[in-house]
């Protein structure tokens, strides 16, 4: 019964029934498919688990992050804007938000006062960096990216986020505040025709700022190339949901007096945890939408694990080495995994095991910038060596070698000999030579 209903619903969502009703039906079908795909991914559990993990990391790193941001902003003389920004973020918590803001600022003052020793300072720096690292890992999961940035890139780019991010946000808030007090702006506010428009724009400013931050994170954090259009759609959706959620949560807090009586002093902590969790869910929701906007072909299958046949693995290995060798020969530069993924129209998470096997076999080399190069002279890379990476090498999970039957072992030897006879002594150079120079 349930399977029948599910089958009918899938046919309704992915069929062409709605699209037959013209433009409106096509728009409704597209919105329904995206909504279905996003809810399906949320229900699957992984994204919600990662949001929970980010809540825990946030609790550990919130004071180090704010202290670090305060130090950076103090150098620019704009550190006084930090407290209002934190209060605006916690505003849906009502009076508790103001109390939490005060306590966090007190903790930051203790950090500034030199209370920390050497070990504690190292721990604070670690927790601040781990926060950004957890965000990258979550975005990489959403974007099917199996490999993180190299250590050098991570340290450099994390410091850029920690140094520039607070400055940009506070400067933007300061510019908005200065515009509000501008004489010309005040004149237009008193105008009957333009005044309401400016008031509406003023109310939308925080949401537009959140949308801009979300869009930047969706483009910058994943270890892959994200198009601006996809990141913008994700940012707009995330900003709209965040704004709506803030109003709804503030209303909930206002009518949850009974809950606060039951939990007493724990009510503030519980509400804060829920608010942080909802914020991370919204951020990851927008990231998932951005991924599907850029890769609509994967909207239907979702996060289903790829199932590769032996023939696919062999062709993947040969194709990867072909692209790497061709780029190195023709332009003396390299390609990366995301570029190969785009060319082959295969998610990078599917390529990751084959790339790792080729790298472990010494046939492929990865630079600090995650570019791919031939592991050795292409004239010495035999096609049989490339195929052996995915055909021969592997693990059974046992500490002993497998014991094949005589008949199967003999047949396997014949198959290996047939493959070797087919590729002969040809090398990667010979494979590239089959194709004209780019």
């Amino acid at each position: 019964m349930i399977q029948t209903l599910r089958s009918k619903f899938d046919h309704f969502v992915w069929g062409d029934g709605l699209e037959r009703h013209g433009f409106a039906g096509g728009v409704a079908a597209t919105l329904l498919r995206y909504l279905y795909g996003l809810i399906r991914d949320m229900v699957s559990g992984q994204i919600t688990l990662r949001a929970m993990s980010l809540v825990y990391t946030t609790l550990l790193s919130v004071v180090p992050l704010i202290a670090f941001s305060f130090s950076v902003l103090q150098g620019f003389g704009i550190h006084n804007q930090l407290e209002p920004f934190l209060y605006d973020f916690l505003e849906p918590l009502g009076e508790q938000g103001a109390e939490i803001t005060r306590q966090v600022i007190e903790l930051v003052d203790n950090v500034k006062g030199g209370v920390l020793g050497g070990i504690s300072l190292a721990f604070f720096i670690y927790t601040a960096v781990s926060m950004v690292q957890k965000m990258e890992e979550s975005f990489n999961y959403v974007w099917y990216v199996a490999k993180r940035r190299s250590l050098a890139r991570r340290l450099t780019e994390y410091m850029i986020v920690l140094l520039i991010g607070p400055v940009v946000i506070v400067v933007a808030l300061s510019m908005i505040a200065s515009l509000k007090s501008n004489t010309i702006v005040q004149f237009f506010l008193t105008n009957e025709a333009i005044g309401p428009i400016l008031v509406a724009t003023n109310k939308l400013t925080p949401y537009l700022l959140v949308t801009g931050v979300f869009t930047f994170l969706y483009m910058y954090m994943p270890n892959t190339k994200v198009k601006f259009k996809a990141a913008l759609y994700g940012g707009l959706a995330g900003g709209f949901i965040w704004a709506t959620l803030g109003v709804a949560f503030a209303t909930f807090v206002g009518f949850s007096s009974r809950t606060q009586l039951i939990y007493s002093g724990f009510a503030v902590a519980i509400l804060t945890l829920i608010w942080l969790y909802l914020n991370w869910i919204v951020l990851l929701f927008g990231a998932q939408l951005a991924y599907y906007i850029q890769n609509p072909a994967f909207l239907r299958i979702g996060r289903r694990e790829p199932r590769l046949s032996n023939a696919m693995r062999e062709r993947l290995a040969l194709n990867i080495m072909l692209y790497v060798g061709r780029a190195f020969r023709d332009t003396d530069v390299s390609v990366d995994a995301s570029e190969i993924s785009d060319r082959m129209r295969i998610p990078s998470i599917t390529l990751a095991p084959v790339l790792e096997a080729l790298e472990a076999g010494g046939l492929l080399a990865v630079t600090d910038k995650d570019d791919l190069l031939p592991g050795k002279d292409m004239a010495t890379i035999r096609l049989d060596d490339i195929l052996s990476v995915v055909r021969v090498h592997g693990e059974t999970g046992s500490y002993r070698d497998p014991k094949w039957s005589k008949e199967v072992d003999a047949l396997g030897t014949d198959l290996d000999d047939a493959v070797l006879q087919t590729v002969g002594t040809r090398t990667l150079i010979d494979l590239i030579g089959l194709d004209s120079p780019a």
Side-chain angles (χ1 to χ4, degrees):
M1 179 67 179
I2 297 177
Q3 186 65 29
T4 303
L5 292 175
R6 182 176 180 179
S7 177
K8 289 183 179 180
F9 183 73
D10 286 346
H11 183 267
F12 174 74
V13 173
W14 304 108
D16 59 352
L18 289 174
E19 295 175 346
R20 294 175 183 174
H21 298 282
F23 176 76
V27 173
T30 301
L31 293 176
L32 182 61
R33 288 166 185 170
Y34 276 99
L35 185 62
Y36 172 80
L38 291 168
I39 293 176
R40 175 200 58 209
D41 293 340
M42 290 293 172
V43 173
S44 65
Q46 274 296 324
I47 291 181
T48 55
L49 286 175
R50 290 180 179 273
M52 293 177 186
S53 173
L54 285 167
V55 170
Y56 172 74
T57 309
T58 303
L59 294 176
L60 287 178
S61 58
V62 61
V63 173
L65 280 173
I66 295 177
F68 194 90
S69 302
F70 192 96
S71 300
V72 174
L73 297 174
Q74 195 171 26
F76 290 89
I78 52 177
H79 54 282
N80 294 328
Q81 294 290 335
L82 184 62
E83 185 173 351
F85 174 74
L86 181 61
Y87 174 74
D88 289 340
F89 176 74
L90 297 174
E91 187 177 4
L93 296 176
E95 296 179 359
Q96 289 87 350
E99 177 63 21
I100 295 172
T101 301
R102 185 187 62 79
Q103 293 178 0
V104 170
I105 294 299
E106 285 183 1
L107 290 173
V108 172
D109 289 336
N110 291 335
V111 175
K112 291 187 300 173
V115 175
L116 296 177
I119 298 178
S120 299
L121 180 61
F123 174 75
F124 262 42
I125 295 175
Y126 168 77
T127 53
V129 173
S130 67
M131 178 71 197
V132 188
Q133 182 178 344
K134 283 286 186 182
M135 287 179 60
E136 182 195 357
E137 292 175 355
S138 299
F139 284 128
N140 284 343
Y141 171 80
V142 169
W143 281 85
Y144 289 79
V145 178
K147 190 169 184 178
R148 295 184 300 180
R149 292 174 172 88
S150 62
L151 179 61
R153 281 188 62 193
R154 270 185 284 161
L155 291 176
T156 303
E157 296 180 6
Y158 290 176
M159 292 308 296
I160 290 175
V161 171
L162 293 174
L163 289 172
I164 298 180
V167 176
V168 172
I169 293 175
V170 172
V171 168
L173 291 173
S174 301
M175 291 177 62
I176 293 170
S178 64
L179 284 174
K180 292 178 183 178
S181 60
N182 189 283
T183 306
I184 299 177
V185 174
Q186 292 298 324
F187 170 76
F188 282 116
L189 283 172
T190 57
N191 188 283
E192 295 182 358
I194 304 177
I197 299 176
L198 289 179
V199 171
T201 305
N202 181 37
K203 293 181 178 180
L204 289 174
T205 299
Y207 311 139
L208 295 177
L209 186 61
V210 171
T211 298
V213 172
F214 281 18
T215 303
F216 169 76
L217 291 175
Y218 297 154
M219 288 192 65
Y220 187 81
M221 292 305 296
N223 189 26
T224 186
K225 296 177 181 177
V226 181
K227 296 179 180 178
F228 175 73
K229 175 185 175 182
L232 181 60
Y233 274 103
L236 287 171
F240 174 77
I241 296 173
W242 183 84
T244 306
L245 192 64
V247 175
F249 193 79
T251 305
F252 167 76
V253 171
F255 286 97
S256 61
S257 55
R258 291 184 179 181
T259 304
Q260 296 181 32
L261 289 175
I262 294 173
Y263 289 102
S264 185
F266 293 100
V268 177
I270 293 173
L271 291 174
T272 304
L273 289 174
I274 296 174
W275 177 237
L276 289 175
Y277 173 72
L278 292 176
N279 275 270
W280 284 120
I281 283 287
V282 170
L283 186 66
L284 296 179
F285 181 89
Q288 189 72 66
L289 176 61
Y291 172 78
Y292 284 138
I293 292 293
Q294 186 165 318
N295 304 277
F298 300 100
L299 182 60
R300 183 169 186 175
I301 62 175
R303 304 207 63 86
R304 190 183 305 166
E305 290 293 329
R307 300 176 182 176
L308 297 178
S309 65
N310 290 337
M312 284 184 177
R313 291 187 180 92
E314 294 173 7
R315 295 193 182 195
L316 280 177
L318 291 170
N319 231 139
I320 289 171
M321 294 304 300
L322 174 65
Y323 283 137
V324 172
R326 186 187 296 167
F328 186 75
R329 180 203 64 175
D330 296 337
T331 59
D332 198 22
V333 295
S334 56
V335 294
D336 56 20
S338 62
E339 186 174 348
I340 293 178
S341 172
D342 292 338
R343 292 185 186 181
M344 299 181 66
R345 293 180 294 181
I346 296 177
S348 57
I349 195 171
T350 305
L351 302 179
V354 180
L355 288 170
E356 292 174 1
L358 291 171
E359 185 181 359
L363 305 178
L364 202 63
V366 183
T367 67
D368 292 337
K369 296 182 179 180
D370 295 329
D371 293 330
L372 303 176
L373 296 170
K376 52 185 177 180
D377 187 354
M378 292 189 292
T380 64
I381 300 179
R382 297 174 52 184
L383 299 185
D384 179 56
D385 296 333
I386 300 175
L387 292 174
S388 295
V389 167
V390 291
R391 293 191 73 255
V392 179
H393 303 296
E395 296 180 356
T396 63
S398 174
Y399 64 93
R400 295 175 294 184
D401 293 332
K403 185 178 181 180
W404 310 114
S405 63
K406 294 181 180 179
E407 297 81 3
V408 172
D409 194 31
L411 180 59
T413 302
D414 292 340
L415 291 173
D416 293 339
D417 292 339
V419 172
L420 182 59
Q421 185 177 359
T422 301
V423 298
T425 59
R426 284 190 291 174
T427 64
L428 182 58
I429 285 289
D430 298 322
L431 181 64
I432 296 174
L434 297 176
D435 180 68
S436 59

